[in-house]
Amino acid sequence: MASIKFIPPQMGGVDKYSVRALRSSPLRLLLKDFGVLLTVLPYLPLLFFPLNTKSTEPKPQGASKVKSTGSNVIQALLGLLEIVLLILFIPAIIALPGLVFLGVALLCILILRLIAWPTQGPRILYSADDTSIVPTTDLHPHERWVFINGICTGSSGLQANIDRLSHLFGRQVLGIHNQSWGLFGDLLECLLQRCLDYKTLDARVACEIVKEYLVDKEVEKLVLLAHSQGGIIASMVVDAMLMELPADVMGKLEIYTFGSAASHFHNPPTSSLEATTSSSSSAQTTTIPYIEHYANEYDMVPRWGVLYATCKLLTNRYAGNVFIRDKATGHLFVDHYLDPIFPMTKRGDPKAAVKAQRGQANGNGDVNGQGVTNGNGHLEAALSYLDSIVDVDEAIPLKRRNTTPLKPLAKLEDRKDYGTVQNHHIPASTTNGNAKPSTHGIVDGFDAIGGDALMEQAARGKTVKELSRLWRYLGGSSPEERQKQDMRDRAFGRAIAAGRRGF
């Protein structure tokens, strides 16, 4: 059975967490991020391994196969050329005059752009029409699903990704094409987005579409999925929407990322400061109700993104549950993320994995209490992942609780008409019996009583299925429908048990 590590979400601690951009200059962030990127480069060869994943994704045929193969060849060519250019970069700076170097650099960029051009396409794509998902799509007319792709993904790759998502979840999926300029070009763009808040056209299009759906009164739920660099764009979208839209509108949004390269994720609490800093915050609600991140432990991109941000930067704001597949490699969206979590037993059958989750036998094999066996073994990974009891990372929450609150960048002037700075920031509700108020507006020991500690305790002994929400959408279902089904199943089980006792 797969080993899955679970990092509980950040709760409370309003004086402990902040995003890096509010604590460091862009240049310093850029240099530090570049340094961290260098430390994870040894994992670069593992981005595409394992190769033999027995992917259940329908294979492209005809023109689609030609486009997919051509896109892969172009990405490989771009990567090789960029490696050569990086090797020649320092010698060129030394040997060439300034203007000549600038001209050569611009020429190289133009050549790379021309090579990448055939992989580009429309900024917005839709999952292919499929009669098998029309019935479930009609059941959810007030939902919208949006996907943002990651690095090294051409237009044909994005189409394959959203088609797979559509098959899995029984909804039409809109894809926003985060265009690729080769592996190293994409990594450079990630640096600029993370450290300089550089909003590419892809990010601006994503902000526009997400806002349009959220303000639409006919839309009750927006599910935003993102992979790799798409996680950075999703975090930028969240930042922009939090500045423009009220909390009740943002409450329509759900976010799920895979191998995210994002350095932060905002999700402010909906309660007031007094409620946030009181021991009752264990029931705290957040503006965006559901955020989940899935990562492979030895995937280079999340080791630079979500895993570094949550495991190393303890004062960094990164909202959401984090699920880590231990010792797993690979960064491909379908082969290394969707297939291990949600494989499909039959091509074109979006409900096959759902039947297995419900313990139903199917035409390919038998389901028992321990797992699934079938001709291809495709469902074994899904049951192994979702039915795994998580290994709760207790070290990270403990380190968070013991982390010193952020030091002020500059001291406020202590004026009599405002009272002392410390007392001014301590609400009356933060006192607890005879306990003395903390100088940072948090009851002493608050985080150990509620917040992270309670989330950590609640997760112990639970499976991924019990902690995750995304899987509940499989096969056109919904979390609400599954909750009703679970209640009916429990009631039926109690009735059977009562009947047996009667005999």
Side-chain angles (χ1 to χ4, degrees), residues 356-374:
Q357 300 303 334
R358 292 176 178 170
Q360 300 173 0
N362 58 54
N364 291 333
D366 300 320
V367 180
N368 55 42
Q370 302 301 319
V372 173
T373 54
N374 58 41

Side-chain angles (χ1 to χ4, degrees), residues 217-265:
K217 294 182 179 179
E218 296 297 319
V219 176
E220 298 175 358
K221 181 186 297 183
L222 171 59
V223 177
L224 178 61
L225 305 107
H227 172 236
S228 184
Q229 186 184 5
I232 301 177
I233 297 175
S235 72
M236 299 171 82
V237 169
V238 170
D239 291 346
M241 295 303 101
L242 287 173
M243 289 190 291
E244 296 192 18
L245 301 178
D248 60 329
V249 174
M250 290 296 294
K252 300 179 182 180
L253 183 62
E254 297 182 14
I255 299 175
Y256 304 95
T257 74
F258 301 83
S260 172
S263 60
H264 73 274
F265 254 95

Side-chain angles (χ1 to χ4, degrees), residues 59-386:
K59 303 300 181 184
Q61 303 293 329
S64 297
K65 184 175 182 179
V66 173
K67 288 181 180 179
S68 178
T69 303
S71 179
N72 293 336
V73 170
I74 289 174
Q75 287 295 332
L77 178 60
L78 285 171
L80 291 174
L81 287 176
E82 288 168 350
I83 290 175
V84 172
L85 292 175
L86 287 172
I87 294 173
L88 297 176
F89 181 74
I90 299 298
I93 289 180
I94 297 173
L96 299 177
L99 291 178
V100 176
F101 172 80
L102 181 61
V104 172
L106 291 175
L107 179 62
C108 291
I109 292 173
L110 177 61
I111 292 173
L112 291 174
R113 291 268 173 164
L114 288 175
I115 294 174
W117 180 75
T119 68
Q120 314 306 337
R123 293 285 175 175
I124 299 175
L125 295 173
Y126 292 90
S127 54
D129 292 333
D130 192 324
T131 54
S132 67
I133 68 167
V134 169
T136 54
T137 299
D138 291 343
L139 292 175
H140 310 284
H142 302 295
E143 290 184 10
R144 299 294 182 270
W145 286 57
V146 176
F147 173 72
I148 308 172
N149 66 273
I151 61 174
C152 301
T153 305
S155 181
S156 59
L158 172 60
Q159 187 67 59
N161 289 344
I162 58 178
D163 287 348
R164 174 60 183 268
L165 289 170
S166 181
H167 275 78
L168 274 177
F169 299 110
R171 276 89 166 169
Q172 186 179 60
V173 181
L174 180 150
I176 299 173
H177 190 202
N178 167 35
Q179 295 185 346
S180 174
W181 307 106
L183 175 60
F184 294 96
D186 290 349
L187 289 176
L188 175 60
E189 193 173 71
C190 287
L191 276 170
L192 298 177
Q193 289 175 324
R194 284 164 53 116
C195 305
L196 305 182
D197 196 29
Y198 171 53
K199 291 182 174 60
T200 58
L201 179 57
D202 322 307
R204 299 196 296 273
V205 169
C207 287
E208 184 177 70
I209 291 173
V210 169
K211 183 177 181 180
E212 180 179 338
Y213 281 155
L214 287 177
V215 299
D216 187 345
K217 294 182 179 179
E218 296 297 319
V219 176
E220 298 175 358
K221 181 186 297 183
L222 171 59
V223 177
L224 178 61
L225 305 107
H227 172 236
S228 184
Q229 186 184 5
I232 301 177
I233 297 175
S235 72
M236 299 171 82
V237 169
V238 170
D239 291 346
M241 295 303 101
L242 287 173
M243 289 190 291
E244 296 192 18
L245 301 178
D248 60 329
V249 174
M250 290 296 294
K252 300 179 182 180
L253 183 62
E254 297 182 14
I255 299 175
Y256 304 95
T257 74
F258 301 83
S260 172
S263 60
H264 73 274
F265 254 95
H266 273 128
N267 192 14
T270 56
S271 53
S272 64
L273 180 62
E274 286 81 357
T276 302
T277 56
S278 70
S279 59
S280 64
S281 70
S282 58
Q284 176 190 21
T285 57
T286 51
T287 304
I288 302 171
Y290 304 100
I291 300 179
E292 294 176 359
H293 309 285
Y294 299 84
N296 291 333
E297 183 181 11
Y298 294 145
D299 180 355
M300 184 192 88
V301 176
R303 288 187 76 88
W304 184 46
V306 57
L307 299 185
Y308 178 73
T310 55
C311 299
K312 302 295 184 181
L313 302 177
L314 298 177
T315 60
N316 183 58
R317 175 63 73 183
Y318 211 104
N321 292 333
V322 182
F323 299 91
I324 307 169
R325 197 156 62 105
D326 279 355
K327 298 179 176 58
T329 62
H331 186 63
L332 301 181
F333 181 55
V334 173
D335 289 12
H336 302 139
Y337 281 101
L338 290 189
D339 262 344
I341 307 174
F342 313 118
M344 298 167 64
T345 54
K346 299 178 182 178
R347 288 177 184 156
D349 181 4
K351 295 186 178 181
V354 183
K355 293 175 183 177
Q357 300 303 334
R358 292 176 178 170
Q360 300 173 0
N362 58 54
N364 291 333
D366 300 320
V367 180
N368 55 42
Q370 302 301 319
V372 173
T373 54
N374 58 41
N376 298 321
H378 290 153
L379 275 181
E380 185 178 351
L383 290 179
S384 178
Y385 188 99
L386 292 174

